[in-house]
Amino acid sequence: MKAAVWTDYNKVELQEVPVPEISSTEALVKVHSAGVCATDLEVITGRFSYGRPPHILGHEIAGEIVAVGADVEERRIGERVVIETSIGCGTCRECKNGDRHLCSQMEEIGTAPHQGGYAQYVKAPADNLVLIPDNVSYDEAGIVESVVCPVGGLMRLGVRFGETVLVYGVGPAGIAFIQGAKAMGAGKVIAVARNDERLQRAKKFGADLLINSKKEDVREKVMEFTGGKGAGLVCEAAGSGATTRSAFECVKRAGRIMLYGIPNKDQANEFSSLDIIMNQLEVYGVLGNPHVWEPLLTLVSSGRINLKDMVYTALPLSEINKAFELMEDPVKKPIKIVVHPWEE
C-alpha cells in the first residue's frame, strides 16, 4: 500500500509499505480521508518532540472497514467509521471508567508503535471505531478528531444557557469552541485573534464579536460588550502566555476558564493562584474525550456543527507536503486540510 512516511526531520516521503496485519480484536480500515493536523507538522519539523522517524503519522482518520478480527462482534465489513485514536492499557481505573485518554500508559494511533492514517490502510482496535452517519461525508468525519477535544470539554463542563463565551484563537480548536458553544446554548460568543482575515472566518461559524488583539484592547472590548461583567466562560485555544493572562483578565467573577492551547514551557505559568481564589474562578484543563464522538457526530449530522466548511481543500496523499506548506502560512493558514490516499 502507499503511505506518507515521516523518514527524517522535515522530510515526508510517499512509499510502498506492507498492509497492516490485524489481531483478533482489531479491524482493518481503508482510509478515505485523513485530516492533516498541525501537531503532526510540529512533530515532523522537530518543534514538538513526540516520537521519532521513521513512522506513519496521522491521527484524524475516516474510512471503511475491509476486514475484522475473529473476536470482533460489533463491527462489520463495509461499515463507514471514524477512528478514536487513543489506546489505553484496558485494566487501570481510568480505562475501566471509559477514560482511556487519561490512562497513564495511553498510546495513540499515529504515534509509535501504532502506524497512522496517512496511508491507504490502517488498523485499529474494533472498540475504537465509531459509525459515521449516512449524511456525513468522509471528509467531515476525517476532521472530527480535531473537534472532539474542544467540544468534549464543553460537553463535560456544560455551557450555561445565554452566557457569553470568549474564545482565544480561530484555528480548528477555536472554531470548534465557537460552534460548540453556540450549539449548546451560549448567548453570545466573542472571538479573539491577531489577524483580521482569520478573524472574519470566525464570524461565519457563529462568532458575534471579533477582537483583533494586535489593534484593540481585548479587556476593554470584552467589558464594553458584557456591561463590565466579563465573560462567563473563557476558552483558551491559542496557547500563548499573553492569551492566558488575558483570559484571567476577561473572565467574570465566579466564571470558568478552559485551558486547551499548549503554551511553551517558559509561558506555562502565566496566572496567579491568588486570582483564582479571590475571584472564585473555576479553571479546567481540556483533553481528548472518548465519550464525545457519537454525540458530536449527531450534532454534525443534524447540522448544528458545520465541519464541511472547515475543510479548505482535499489533496491526494502524494501532495501531503503541499498541505504542510499551506499550514505554515501564518496569515492564510487553512482551518483544515484532508488527504485522500486513493487519489492520484
Side-chain angles (χ1 to χ4, degrees):
M1 69 172 184
K2 291 184 175 64
V5 182
W6 174 37
T7 56
D8 201 350
Y9 291 102
N10 296 299
K11 192 172 184 180
V12 176
E13 299 178 325
L14 194 67
Q15 296 183 357
E16 286 285 342
V17 301
V19 174
E21 295 184 6
I22 61 174
S23 71
S24 62
T25 58
E26 293 178 320
L28 183 67
V29 176
K30 180 180 180 180
V31 180
H32 285 277
S33 185
V36 180
C37 181
T39 301
D40 287 339
L41 175 60
E42 297 296 300
V43 170
I44 289 165
T45 58
R47 296 192 291 256
F48 179 50
S49 180
Y50 198 42
R52 295 181 179 179
H55 194 68
I56 301 171
L57 299 170
H59 53 270
E60 302 177 11
I61 313 161
E64 173 190 359
I65 298 175
V66 294
V68 295
D71 296 331
V72 175
E73 297 181 352
E74 293 190 0
R75 296 277 68 90
R76 299 285 185 270
I77 291 173
E79 289 179 331
R80 302 169 68 245
V81 294
V82 62
I83 300 177
E84 196 274 292
T85 50
S86 59
I87 300 175
C89 69
T91 59
C92 69
R93 180 184 64 183
E94 286 75 16
C95 284
K96 289 181 178 179
N97 287 339
D99 295 324
R100 57 175 170 249
H101 67 301
L102 297 177
C103 174
S104 62
Q105 301 179 54
M106 194 275 286
E107 298 173 342
E108 185 175 17
I109 295 170
T111 304
H114 307 282
Q115 303 292 355
Y118 297 150
Q120 291 181 317
Y121 294 100
V122 65
K123 69 175 182 176
D127 289 344
N128 287 56
L129 305 182
V130 182
L131 292 177
I132 302 171
D134 291 341
N135 65 337
V136 175
S137 70
Y138 280 123
D139 283 352
E140 291 170 287
I143 67 166
V144 162
E145 194 276 344
S146 66
V147 179
V148 158
C149 294
V151 174
L154 293 172
M155 287 183 175
R156 178 165 61 92
L157 303 177
V159 175
R160 293 168 186 167
F161 184 75
E163 75 176 336
T164 296
V165 178
L166 172 61
V167 178
Y168 289 87
V170 292
I175 297 299
F177 275 124
I178 291 168
Q179 292 202 74
K182 274 301 184 73
M184 296 176 206
K188 299 291 184 181
V189 175
I190 305 169
V192 179
R194 295 166 54 85
N195 176 270
D196 284 331
E197 186 172 339
R198 287 165 62 82
L199 262 175
Q200 284 302 317
R201 67 191 187 191
K203 190 171 185 179
K204 176 179 181 179
F205 291 100
D208 299 286
L209 176 67
L210 309 177
I211 302 176
N212 185 321
S213 58
K214 289 185 71 174
K215 300 178 181 179
E216 302 171 284
D217 185 306
V218 176
R219 185 179 187 279
E220 182 180 298
K221 295 291 289 186
V222 170
M223 291 304 168
E224 177 185 332
F225 190 70
T226 61
K229 296 178 181 178
L233 173 62
V234 181
C235 306
E236 201 296 306
S240 78
T243 52
T244 302
R245 286 194 302 273
S246 182
F248 279 82
E249 294 171 354
C250 294
V251 67
K252 74 176 185 179
R253 300 195 76 184
R256 296 167 297 156
I257 297 175
M258 297 173 59
L259 300 178
Y260 175 81
I262 305 295
N264 296 329
K265 288 183 178 180
D266 60 349
Q267 297 180 330
N269 300 303
E270 292 292 343
F271 57 87
S272 168
S273 58
L274 188 62
D275 291 334
I276 299 173
I277 296 166
M278 299 307 295
N279 292 302
Q280 197 173 303
L281 302 178
E282 298 175 56
V283 183
Y284 300 89
V286 179
L287 198 59
N289 193 324
H291 308 286
V292 172
W293 292 73
E294 291 182 2
L296 175 56
L297 284 165
T298 298
L299 286 173
V300 176
S301 178
S302 67
R304 300 293 299 278
I305 297 285
N306 176 5
L307 298 186
K308 182 178 180 180
D309 290 336
M310 289 179 66
V311 179
Y312 170 75
T313 191
L315 299 171
L317 187 62
S318 59
E319 295 185 28
I320 193 169
N321 284 305
K322 179 181 177 181
F324 290 130
E325 289 173 10
L326 288 168
M327 293 171 65
E328 288 276 31
D329 189 318
V331 176
K332 297 184 177 181
K333 182 168 73 171
I335 301 174
K336 292 301 297 182
I337 297 173
V338 298
V339 291
H340 293 170
W342 294 89
E343 290 183 3
E344 295 297 333

